[in-house]
Amino acid sequence: YLSLFFLSLYFKEARKQFFWLSGIAFIGLFSLQLYREYTVRKQEKVVIYHLPKQSCIELIKGRNCIQLTDSFCIANPGKLKMVTSGYEIKSGILSERNSILCLDKCDYTLADKNQIAINSGRIQFGEIRLDILRPSNHKTEYVSEAEYLLISHNSKPPFQFLLKYPKCKTVILDGSNSVFRCRQWKKLCEENSLRFYSTNREGALILELKKSADF
């Protein structure tokens, strides 16, 4: 608008300074577009959305995205889009490049260096390790290396939590959990000096990678 405004003044008054101001405004716009494109292409993040009674995670790299969600959301994509489309548009995600995977059936590895791996409720994306505790994998026996733990579908705190999750620093509860279960996990976090994050109260959680991951 500034460029057109100064250009119209140039044609009206034939003063060179208006022509140069129009050019500067245009170059400024072009530079902002280039910066926007650069930041979009370089973005790498994990987004945990708040979706009532469901779970939804996105692994974003550039304009590409892997969605991890429940079978209900896969069968009803419109409900999922209502929650995710706003942030995807803001982040420059191209919907046709989205891959959608079911959280209960995930077994997915991408990249030679294993920098992206999804299986048995465990996600490795660059340096971010996120484990998901949900009824389908609640009894899985392994000692977790994850710094982040996502609680889904009212999963109870496991027996000897700190022995099973010794490196956990942040416990995240999404919209699939009841108020009672949130209080139970919050109490556990307070007792063990862990960060507690509830999407119900604080909205979506965005974790940005510090080191690049292959996609």
Side-chain angles (χ1 to χ4, degrees), residues 189-200:
C189 290
E190 290 173 347
E191 291 173 349
N192 294 281
S193 300
L194 302 173
R195 181 192 177 195
F196 174 81
Y197 190 101
S198 171
T199 62
N200 184 48

Side-chain angles (χ1 to χ4, degrees), residues 83-98:
V83 176
T84 63
S85 60
Y87 187 74
E88 288 177 358
I89 292 171
K90 180 182 177 181
S91 301
I93 303 299
L94 301 176
S95 58
E96 63 270 18
R97 296 187 185 179
N98 285 3

Side-chain angles (χ1 to χ4, degrees), residues 35 46 66 98 101 110 119 133 136 143 168 174 186 195 204:
Y35 178 74
V46 177
I66 296 176
N98 285 3
L101 303 175
L110 185 62
N119 56 71
L133 189 59
S136 59
V143 176
C168 180
D174 63 18
K186 185 178 181 181
R195 181 192 177 195

Side-chain angles (χ1 to χ4, degrees), residues 80-123:
L80 184 62
K81 276 292 180 184
M82 288 177 63
V83 176
T84 63
S85 60
Y87 187 74
E88 288 177 358
I89 292 171
K90 180 182 177 181
S91 301
I93 303 299
L94 301 176
S95 58
E96 63 270 18
R97 296 187 185 179
N98 285 3
S99 298
I100 304 178
L101 303 175
C102 181
L103 278 168
D104 283 324
K105 302 175 183 178
C106 283
D107 191 0
Y108 183 90
T109 302
L110 185 62
D112 294 337
K113 297 179 182 179
N114 271 355
Q115 287 186 299
I116 299 176
I118 307 163
N119 56 71
S120 302
R122 290 173 286 178
I123 297 173

Side-chain angles (χ1 to χ4, degrees), residues 37-44 61-62:
E37 183 64 21
Y38 173 79
T39 55
V40 166
R41 288 180 180 272
K42 296 291 289 183
Q43 67 179 341
E44 296 178 305
K61 181 176 175 64

Side-chain angles (χ1 to χ4, degrees), residues 6 23 28 33 47 81 92 95 141 158 167 185 192-194 211:
F6 287 125
Q33 289 296 101
V47 182
K81 276 292 180 184
S95 58
E141 295 297 331
K167 295 187 178 181
W185 277 99
N192 294 281
S193 300
L194 302 173
K211 298 179 181 178

